[in-house]
Amino acid sequence: MQKRIQPYAVYSDGQGNIFEDTQLFAAGRSGQNFYPLYLDEMIPLPEGSDLFELPGRHTLGYNRNGDLVASPDGFASAAFIAPANTQLSIAAWQNSPDAPVLPLYAYTAVGWYKGKFYVPAVRIDSDTRQDCEHFNQKVIIKRGKEILKKFPDNRLVRHIIENCAFVYYCPAARNFAMDRWEAPVPTSPTCNARCVGCISKQDSKESPVPETQHRLTIVPTVDEIVQFTVPHLENAPNAIISFGQGCEGEPLMQWELLRDSIKAIRAKTDKGIINLNTNGSKPDAVDKLFDAGLDSIRVSMNSAQEKWYNLYIRPVDFTQADSMESLKIARKHGKWASINYFVMPGLTDTPQELDALRALIGSTRLNMIQWRNFNIDPDWLFSRIEYAGYGENCLGVQQVMKRIKEEFPHVYFGYFNPNKDTMAENMVNY
Ligand code: SF4
């Protein structure tokens, strides 16, 4: 029996340098449950990932006796892994009493072995649309300025290019600047949910973390939307336009605008995919959007269990049942339905969550699970939703994926909204 290899734990020296601690082997965690990491469950740190130093925290790792101990050196470190890769374990750290809440990123475990960083993760989507090798910011700025000249009076194009592509480095906005793949169409300054980890709205009275993207302040017109989306659908390879972006509230708050825009777009072109990223709160409106020509929908879900869904999403005027109804309506129209499933080891991989996810798939007949990393400080999340960090009999995220695939082989796994070809190859009407 070959001995399983354990990578070393790592720590930051406080000067932006990360070192391996050769006295400790790397640890991972699911909720409050800690365990050793082994190389055969890890991948090299994907290109385009970031490595973080975690203030007020010490690295936890396993010494030669197999005891879980805190590293005396520096600060804990974690990886913010590149898109298309799903985390399997959170980083293991020990909080100091004055440890600040961490900003809205994912904090995946990381280890070091023979000159390389490794992370417990899987490449869940082969699509390379957000791989960093595609993004040369100098070229993006040049192309972005050309687009601003092409649409001088278009407020939405200005927001997408000047804010999203040039400041937030949003991959979708930068792909729009490069005239390829998925382009963003934000439309709504308001929302009918109060997600704890909303990246576009954090109430400074109750939240210790900043929003990562300031929310859109305009409501575009049908003409402003049609003006740039039709050329994108006509000319871009594997073209998709997506309503519902990180820099806005809930697009269904503007459903009439979306309906009229979709009709106007489809009157000019039948190319590409028109997608809606949403909290799914208004199934009746969703029905009318599919009548208008919508092609696919993606509904956000931090948990398939109503209790954790309500404590995180904090819906104002809707329920999780409404969000699931929106998925069913997409299937009723024979269209593609995905969930934007926030993966948090310790919550996502419990037996209860697996059962609830199986029930959700069975009742909605959804086509795809987008296994997305939950961008939030796990300790802050667990405290905000009063979650005891279940952990001890966690199944492991990979095991959950395996069980779902065994029971629902037709459910497509990925990270991104599928283009027309991917849908055609994987659409199973069941
Ligand atoms: S649904 Fe989206 S915009 Fe609304 S609070 Fe949640 S994350 Fe924010």
Side-chain angles (χ1 to χ4, degrees):
M1 177 70 169
Q2 200 169 7
K3 188 172 176 323
R4 300 179 73 190
I5 299 169
Q6 292 180 268
Y8 290 125
V10 298
Y11 65 91
S12 166
D13 66 354
Q15 310 299 319
N17 307 305
I18 295 187
F19 296 93
E20 76 274 23
D21 183 332
T22 56
Q23 301 311 305
L24 293 181
F25 292 122
R29 75 189 255 220
S30 285
Q32 302 308 341
N33 184 40
F34 299 90
Y35 41 82
L37 293 174
Y38 295 95
L39 220 54
D40 52 36
E41 295 168 332
M42 304 173 83
I43 58 174
L45 182 71
E47 191 72 22
S49 302
D50 295 313
L51 286 170
F52 290 153
E53 170 185 297
L54 308 181
R57 294 161 172 82
H58 284 288
T59 296
L60 285 174
Y62 289 90
N63 63 19
R64 295 296 181 274
N65 305 328
D67 307 322
L68 184 69
V69 296
S71 170
D73 303 318
F75 297 92
S77 179
F80 181 49
I81 56 178
N85 298 281
T86 303
Q87 65 177 352
L88 304 176
S89 299
I90 313 167
W93 62 73
Q94 182 181 64
N95 287 309
S96 312
D98 59 351
V101 172
L102 300 169
L104 298 172
Y105 295 103
Y107 299 93
T108 303
V110 57
W112 176 264
Y113 183 72
K114 289 192 175 170
K116 275 199 262 192
F117 290 108
Y118 288 84
V119 290
V122 287
R123 173 95 196 195
I124 196 75
D125 203 316
S126 58
D127 186 310
T128 67
R129 76 183 70 167
Q130 296 194 7
D131 284 12
C132 64
E133 79 232 13
H134 294 310
F135 298 108
N136 176 328
Q137 196 63 10
K138 278 205 188 76
V139 177
I140 286 161
I141 290 170
K142 179 173 169 297
R143 297 281 295 267
K145 288 181 174 164
E146 289 161 9
I147 288 180
L148 290 172
K149 283 200 195 100
K150 221 158 81 182
F151 306 108
D153 309 317
N154 192 313
R155 298 168 303 155
L156 186 55
V157 167
R158 198 171 318 123
H159 168 83
I160 295 170
I161 295 294
E162 291 181 351
N163 261 340
C164 310
F166 291 178
V167 178
Y168 304 150
Y169 281 37
C170 165
R174 297 196 287 170
N175 281 331
F176 166 59
M178 298 300 291
D179 211 9
R180 62 190 182 197
W181 310 324
E182 184 173 9
V185 190
T187 58
S188 178
T190 58
C191 186
N192 57 353
R194 301 282 177 273
C195 299
V196 171
C198 177
I199 60 174
S200 68
K201 196 87 173 163
Q202 286 291 322
D203 177 347
S204 54
K205 285 193 292 308
E206 66 159 9
S207 171
V209 295
E211 53 220 30
T212 36
Q213 292 154 325
H214 300 311
R215 194 169 282 180
L216 182 76
T217 55
I218 61 160
V219 175
T221 63
V222 171
D223 289 349
E224 283 176 315
I225 291 172
V226 172
Q227 199 186 25
F228 73 94
T229 53
V230 168
H232 185 79
L233 290 169
E234 285 280 315
N235 307 321
N238 292 324
I240 303 171
I241 62 163
S242 280
F243 296 104
Q245 297 296 324
C247 60
E248 65 173 309
E250 170 50 41
L252 288 175
M253 305 300 280
Q254 305 294 336
W255 74 267
E256 294 94 340
L257 168 66
L258 272 58
R259 176 200 56 204
D260 300 345
S261 302
I262 294 169
K263 280 184 178 165
I265 292 167
R266 283 306 182 214
K268 293 178 184 292
T269 179
D270 61 2
K271 289 193 172 167
I273 292 291
I274 302 179
N275 175 64
L276 171 64
N277 300 323
T278 174
N279 62 22
S281 53
K282 300 175 186 292
D284 296 346
V286 167
D287 201 14
K288 293 187 179 67
L289 296 181
F290 278 111
D291 286 339
L294 186 66
D295 297 300
S296 60
I297 191 173
R298 182 187 76 184
V299 173
S300 295
M301 287 280 167
N302 65 301
S303 170
Q305 299 173 76
E306 189 165 20
K307 177 179 178 182
W308 307 124
Y309 176 93
N310 288 341
L311 284 166
Y312 175 77
I313 303 276
R314 303 191 295 179
V316 175
D317 61 359
F318 67 98
T319 65
Q320 188 177 37
D322 292 322
S323 303
M324 291 165 69
E325 186 59 27
S326 291
L327 293 166
K328 294 175 187 171
I329 284 170
R331 303 298 297 122
K332 185 194 77 179
H333 284 266
K335 298 294 186 178
W336 187 274
S338 304
I339 53 172
N340 183 16
Y341 195 47
F342 307 159
V343 174
M344 178 57 81
L347 178 55
T348 308
D349 54 343
T350 62
Q352 295 77 0
E353 182 66 18
L354 173 59
D355 288 346
L357 182 58
R358 293 167 59 222
L360 185 149
I361 296 169
S363 68
T364 63
R365 302 184 308 117
L366 56 79
N367 301 97
M368 180 181 191
I369 299 175
Q370 298 184 16
W371 301 86
R372 316 271 298 199
N373 299 318
F374 208 160
N375 284 355
I376 195 167
D377 176 335
D379 298 324
W380 185 53
L381 170 70
F382 296 146
S383 67
R384 288 302 304 268
I385 66 172
E386 302 143 24
Y387 181 74
Y390 201 86
E392 51 280 350
N393 58 355
C394 274
L395 306 165
V397 173
Q398 218 156 10
Q399 187 53 230
V400 169
M401 290 175 174
K402 185 168 172 291
R403 302 264 293 268
I404 293 290
K405 197 49 115 172
E406 280 163 3
E407 185 171 351
F408 304 98
H410 43 262
V411 171
Y412 184 68
F413 287 2
Y415 204 91
F416 305 117
N417 294 310
N419 57 47
K420 213 165 196 164
D421 297 345
T422 302
M423 267 188 216
E425 287 152 21
N426 296 285
M427 173 69 95
V428 176
N429 285 318
Y430 67 106

